[in-house]
Each structure stands twice: as structure tokens, then as C-alpha cells.
Amino acid sequence: MISICGFVSIFFGGDSCFLIKGIRKVNYYTYMAKAGGSKVVSEINLRYRKEPVLFHDISSWGMHAMKEDAKYAIRLFAVGETGKIC
């Protein structure tokens, strides 16, 4: 166990840590969903007059944006604003 910023951290699998003191639950889905929706809107605005927009493109853009947003959130919670990894 390592303590940073008053939080106790535990490593799982060698490269992940979870803050277990002070944070019990993080409701993050809405933020991921907004990131996905925003990406879809921007891609449609860029492409809709030039080429047809297909459903599989829409779902792919949304999933990719949600995945990138989740990666950012995980890094933020794992590293914090100090830039030091747990």
C-alpha cells in the first residue's frame, strides 16, 4: 500500500491502482456518453454533405470517444493533478 494525498492506494495487476479512502463510487457514465455524443455530432457536421453517414460509423465514433474519455478519467483518478502515479 502507498499513501498519496491522504488517500490509501492499492495496486492490482501491477499497473492499476484504486483510491479506497474517501471515494466510494464515481458516477462517470454521463460524461462518457456526452463525449460520445459530441464526437458523433462533430463528425456528422464535417461529413454529411461530402459523403453518406452510415450507422456503423456513428457507433464507432461514439464508442471511440467514450473509450478515450474513460482513459482520461482513469489517468486522472490514478495519477491526480500532481502528475505522480500511485
Side-chain angles (χ1 to χ4, degrees):
M1 274 196 247
I2 297 173
S3 178
I4 57 167
C5 303
F7 293 100
V8 176
S9 305
I10 297 177
F11 285 84
F12 292 96
D15 54 6
S16 298
C17 74
F18 297 87
L19 302 176
I20 60 170
K21 179 182 175 189
I23 298 175
R24 293 190 301 158
K25 183 178 179 184
V26 175
N27 292 320
Y28 197 78
Y29 177 79
T30 301
Y31 298 102
M32 286 189 312
K34 285 181 180 180
S38 295
K39 178 66 174 178
V40 167
V41 168
S42 71
E43 290 292 334
I44 288 173
N45 287 335
L46 287 173
R47 299 169 189 254
Y48 85 100
R49 291 180 189 228
K50 299 174 192 165
E51 59 191 71
V53 175
L54 305 174
F55 176 77
H56 66 266
D57 292 327
I58 293 170
S59 61
S60 178
W61 298 328
M63 286 189 299
H64 180 73
M66 290 174 75
K67 183 178 179 179
E68 292 304 311
D69 196 66
K71 285 181 186 178
Y72 170 76
I74 290 168
R75 280 192 305 271
L76 183 64
F77 285 113
V79 176
E81 294 185 16
T82 63
K84 295 180 183 175
I85 297 176
C86 299

